[in-house]
Amino acid sequence: MSAGPARAGPARPAVPGRNPLRIGPVSGVWHPRTAAVCAALLLVSAVLMCLGATRGDFPLPLTDVLRVLGGGGEELDRVVVLELRLPRAAAGALVGFALGMAGAITQAVARNPLASPDLLGISAGAGAGAVTLIVLGGAAGPLALLGVPAAALVGALGAALLVYLLAWRDGIDGLRLALIGLAIAGLGTSLTTYLLLRANLTEATQATVWLTGSLNGRAWDSVLPLAVVVLAVLAAAPVFGPRLAALQLGYDTARSLGRRVQLGMALLVAAAVVLAAGATAAAGPVAFVALAAPQIALRLLGRAAPPPVTAGLTGAALVLAADLLARTALPVELPVGIVTAALGAPYLIHLLVAANRRSNA
Amino acid sequence: MIQPSSRLQADRLTLSYGGTEIVGGLSFEVPPGMITAVVGSNGCGKSTLLRGLARLLRPSAGAVLLDGKAIDRMPTREVARHLGLLPQAPSAPEGLTVGDLVARGRQPHQSWLRQWSPEDEDVVAQALCWTDMLDSADRRLEDLSGGQRQRAWISMALAQGTDLLLLDEPTTYLDLAHAVDVLDLVERLRDDHGRTVVMVLHDLNLAARYADVLVAMKDGRILAQGHPGDILTSELLFEVFGLSARLIEDPVSGRPLVVPLGGSRAARRPAPA
C-alpha cells in the first residue's frame, strides 16, 4: 500500500484557504490576511515608537525624530532620541511582543482563552524576587549587586519551575498546571505583601513602582537581554509551532499525529516562561497584555488560535499605545502598567461575560 | 494468492488504569483489509482496547505488535506513519478551518523546513475528495453539521496516509442519517482504498450492518468474534449486554437486525430467534 492516497490522474485541485509558499526544500502556508495584519501591526508599532520619541521633558517635533532616525539631526537631538527615548520605545515593543507571544502559547497549551503566563506563577514570582531584593538587599549588600531585573528573573523562573514540578504526575496536564500555578502565585503575592509591610517608605515606594510595571528610564542594557530571548524563541519557532498545532487538538490526537505530548508541553511551557519572565524582568509585571493580545489578534485574523508571532506584534502595539497614553493622558506621567490594567480589567470582564454567555447558550 | 497477514495484533494484552485492570490478557489479530467493529456494554473495555492498540496506553502486560514489533518500543512518529486514530469526541480550537485541520494529519511526514510540500498538498486534497469535503476546506469546523465535522476529522486521519485506521465511536452524537453517511464512507475506504478499519461502535445494528468482523467484549475479554451473521445470537446479546432481543434478517443487507424485546419482558430469557 502506498504511503498516502495514490497520486494518480490529472493535477489535483488545490486545497482552498491554504496557499503554498515554497522555496527549494522549504515549504509552508501563507495566509493573505495574516500577512496584512502583521504588516499593519508593524506599521502601527513603528508610528507609535516615533510618536513616543517626541514626548518627554524635552519635546521634539516628529520631523526632528525622523531626521535623527534617518542618521542626521543635531547632536543633542541624537542623544535624546537614541540614548533616552529609543531604548524605552524598544523596551516597550519587546516587552509587548514577548508577553503577547507568551500569552498565545499559554492559551493554546491550556486550551483556555482566559489563561495567561501569570497562571504559571511568573508575575508573582518576579514580584517576590524583585521586592525581596529591594527590601532585604539594602543599598549596597551583595544582593543589591544582583540588580532588580535579575532578582525578578530568578523569582519568575523559580516560581515557574516550582509550578511545573508540583504539577507533575506521570506528566503535565493543562488544568492541573493552572491550578498549581494559581496556588504558587498566591504564595508569591503573600510574600510580596509581607515584605512590603516590613519595608521603609523609600523601599516600599520603589517596590510599588516596580510592581506596577513601568518603562520609565529603560536603557539599552535592559533591552538587549530581552531582545536575545525573543530572537532565540523566534528562531525555535519551527520546532514548537507544529507541536502547538498538534496539542491544540487534544493530547490523544497529538500523540496519534506522532507527537510526544510531554516533550511538546515542556518545550512550549519553557518558551512561554522564558518570554514572560524576560519581559517581566525588563519592565515589571505589565498587566493584562499577555491575556488580551492573543484574543485581540484572534479577532483581527478571524481564525483559530492566533500564531504566536501575530499575538506578539499585537502585544507590542498594545504596550506602545498604552505607554504613549500613560505619558500624555494626565499632566503627571503614569507607569504603563496602570494603563494596561485600566484597559485590561474591563476587557477581562467582557471575556468572562462572553464565555459565560456561550456556555449558557 | 497469498493471504495477507495481520499487521496489528494484541498479544496477551493487559491494560490498566491506575492499577485497575480493564483489559485482561487479550489476544486479537486485526483482520487486514476489513472493517472490524468492537461492541460491548459501557465499561467493557472496548475503548480501552482501541486506545491500547493506538499506543495511547502502555500495556501493563503483554504487547501490541505492529508488523511484529512491540508498538510501545517504537518511536511515536514511526507509529503515526502506520496507524491513524480518530479519538472519541475530538475537539479543535474555535475558528479552525477544515483545511487547516486536515493538513495537521501530515505532521508525521513533515520536518522543520517542510511544512506544506506539493506531496502534502496532494494527499490532503485527495483525503478531502474521498470524504467529499474539498469544497468545505476553508469553512470553520463549528459551522459544519455533526456529520460533516466527523468527515473532516476522518479526513485528517486519512491525510496521515496510514493503511490502518482506528476510530473510537465515530458515530456518537450523530443522528442516524449522518451516522450512516460516516459508515458509508468507512465502507468506501475499505473497498476503494484498501484501508483496514477497527472501530468501536455503540449501535449494534450499525455494527452488524457494516462490520466484516464483529468483536463482542465483556469485562475486558473477547466473548465472540466473527462475521455478524455467524456470531450474533440472542444468547450472545443477553450474555454481552444483558439484553433480551430477537434477531431478524435485515431486509436490505441480509445481516442480522437486533429487535429488543424491552419493557417488562426484559428480565425473561427470550425465545430463540
Side-chain angles (χ1 to χ4, degrees):
Chain A
M1 197 54 51
S2 64
R7 298 171 69 179
R12 206 151 328 279
V15 179
R18 288 184 64 81
N19 311 303
L21 182 69
R22 299 188 183 114
I23 305 157
V26 182
S27 61
V29 168
W30 75 284
H31 296 267
R33 187 162 164 187
T34 306
V37 165
C38 286
L41 286 168
L42 274 173
L43 187 69
V44 168
S45 298
V47 169
L48 286 168
M49 283 174 86
C50 291
L51 285 179
T54 64
R55 306 284 311 183
D57 295 333
F58 181 73
L60 283 172
L62 189 58
T63 47
D64 285 3
V65 171
L66 292 176
R67 199 171 297 131
V68 169
L69 291 178
E74 288 170 35
E75 190 61 28
L76 182 62
D77 293 356
R78 289 189 67 80
V79 171
V80 169
V81 171
L82 296 180
E83 298 300 320
L84 300 176
R85 308 262 168 93
L86 213 53
R88 179 188 186 132
L94 282 170
V95 164
F97 189 87
L99 287 176
M101 211 166 157
I105 296 171
T106 316
Q107 291 178 1
V109 168
R111 306 180 81 199
N112 186 339
L114 296 174
S116 83
D118 287 350
L119 279 182
L120 302 169
I122 306 282
S123 296
V131 175
T132 303
L133 184 97
I134 292 168
V135 174
L136 299 183
L143 266 177
L145 289 174
L146 192 62
V148 173
L153 193 67
V154 169
L157 295 178
L161 191 65
L162 193 62
V163 169
Y164 198 86
L165 291 179
L166 286 174
W168 184 275
R169 193 185 298 154
D170 299 330
I172 290 295
D173 168 272
L175 184 64
R176 198 164 55 227
L177 197 67
L179 288 174
I180 302 272
L182 273 179
I184 297 298
L187 212 63
T189 312
S190 323
L191 179 65
T192 304
T193 311
Y194 168 74
L195 287 168
L196 281 178
L197 289 174
R198 291 186 32 146
N200 66 37
L201 192 60
T202 327
E203 292 162 355
T205 313
Q206 193 195 346
T208 309
V209 169
W210 191 88
L211 286 172
T212 316
S214 167
L215 295 168
N216 205 1
R218 293 299 179 273
W220 287 117
D221 61 350
S222 63
V223 173
L224 278 177
L226 183 55
V228 169
V229 167
V230 166
L231 284 177
V233 174
L234 279 179
V239 177
F240 68 71
R243 292 189 159 81
L244 193 67
L247 280 169
Q248 282 175 334
L249 303 178
Y251 299 162
D252 282 359
T253 309
R255 193 168 287 132
S256 73
L257 290 176
R259 293 298 173 189
R260 286 150 73 187
V261 169
Q262 288 308 324
L263 177 70
M265 289 282 280
L267 282 172
L268 289 164
V269 169
V273 163
V274 168
L275 285 168
T280 311
V286 180
F288 288 111
V289 175
L291 179 76
Q295 294 299 313
I296 296 172
L298 190 113
R299 280 153 185 79
L300 290 175
L301 293 179
R303 49 188 286 255
V309 172
T310 317
L313 291 173
T314 311
L318 215 58
V319 170
L320 288 169
D323 193 40
L324 194 61
L325 202 62
R327 289 191 287 157
T328 53
L330 293 175
V332 285
E333 187 171 310
L334 296 172
V336 64
I338 292 198
V339 176
T340 57
L343 295 176
Y347 182 72
L348 178 62
I349 292 169
H350 159 75
L351 276 185
L352 286 167
V353 170
N356 198 27
R357 214 174 271 151
R358 244 200 323 278
S359 62
N360 287 341
Chain B
M1 190 179 133
I2 305 160
Q3 187 71 22
S5 61
S6 170
R7 295 193 56 199
L8 188 65
Q9 312 170 336
D11 180 24
R12 286 157 292 167
L13 177 67
T14 300
L15 297 165
S16 315
Y17 273 117
T20 314
E21 188 181 296
I22 309 291
V23 168
L26 180 152
S27 291
F28 169 63
E29 289 190 7
V30 172
M34 292 188 186
I35 298 174
T36 302
V38 185
V39 297
S41 55
N42 291 328
C44 71
K46 55 189 192 300
S47 277
T48 306
L49 172 62
L50 202 75
R51 288 173 60 82
L53 290 175
R55 195 183 176 269
L56 294 177
L57 277 178
R58 190 181 288 271
S60 42
V64 174
L65 304 176
L66 176 64
D67 297 328
K69 282 182 285 185
I71 203 171
D72 62 317
R73 278 190 226 115
M74 292 171 70
T76 314
R77 234 170 119 84
E78 180 64 22
V79 174
R81 289 186 188 139
H82 295 287
L83 203 69
L85 168 79
L86 180 62
Q88 200 174 335
S91 71
E94 211 179 313
L96 190 71
T97 62
V98 173
D100 285 349
L101 173 73
V102 178
R104 290 178 192 189
R106 295 303 297 162
Q107 284 215 359
H109 305 278
Q110 289 170 331
S111 66
W112 294 5
L113 298 179
R114 184 194 140 185
Q115 300 282 339
W116 189 238
S117 69
E119 190 196 344
D120 292 333
E121 190 169 1
D122 276 1
V123 174
V124 168
Q126 180 68 277
L128 286 165
C129 281
W130 290 356
T131 56
D132 201 16
M133 289 296 288
L134 188 63
D135 293 335
S136 306
D138 52 1
R139 292 177 66 193
R140 295 150 165 262
L141 284 177
E142 64 259 32
D143 298 336
L144 304 176
S145 73
Q148 288 174 314
R149 201 174 304 146
Q150 200 62 320
R151 292 212 310 258
W153 279 98
I154 292 175
S155 316
M156 188 201 74
L158 284 174
Q160 259 175 271
T162 62
D163 296 341
L164 286 158
L165 280 177
L166 308 179
L167 312 176
D168 197 353
E169 301 201 7
T171 59
T172 314
Y173 308 125
L174 298 184
D175 56 42
L176 189 57
H178 286 139
V180 167
D181 186 36
V182 164
L183 292 172
D184 282 344
L185 165 63
V186 171
E187 227 168 24
R188 285 202 303 278
L189 295 177
R190 175 200 59 195
D191 295 341
D192 303 347
H193 309 297
R195 295 301 197 265
T196 299
V197 180
V198 183
M199 58 186 175
V200 168
L201 277 188
H202 252 315
D203 190 307
L204 256 179
N205 283 326
L206 288 178
R209 169 79 182 258
Y210 284 94
D212 302 309
V213 174
L214 199 62
V215 174
M217 282 184 70
K218 189 185 184 182
D219 298 333
R221 280 163 226 285
I222 293 176
L223 283 191
Q225 112 184 48
H227 190 272
D230 297 337
I231 66 158
L232 265 190
T233 60
S234 46
E235 287 79 11
L236 182 75
L237 288 177
F238 192 81
E239 203 182 344
V240 172
F241 295 97
L243 174 75
S244 297
R246 197 177 295 245
L247 287 162
I248 58 171
E249 193 186 281
D250 176 346
V252 177
S253 66
R255 300 281 182 100
L257 187 69
V258 178
V259 183
L261 299 180
S264 57
R265 300 170 62 187
R268 292 210 302 271
R269 285 301 299 260

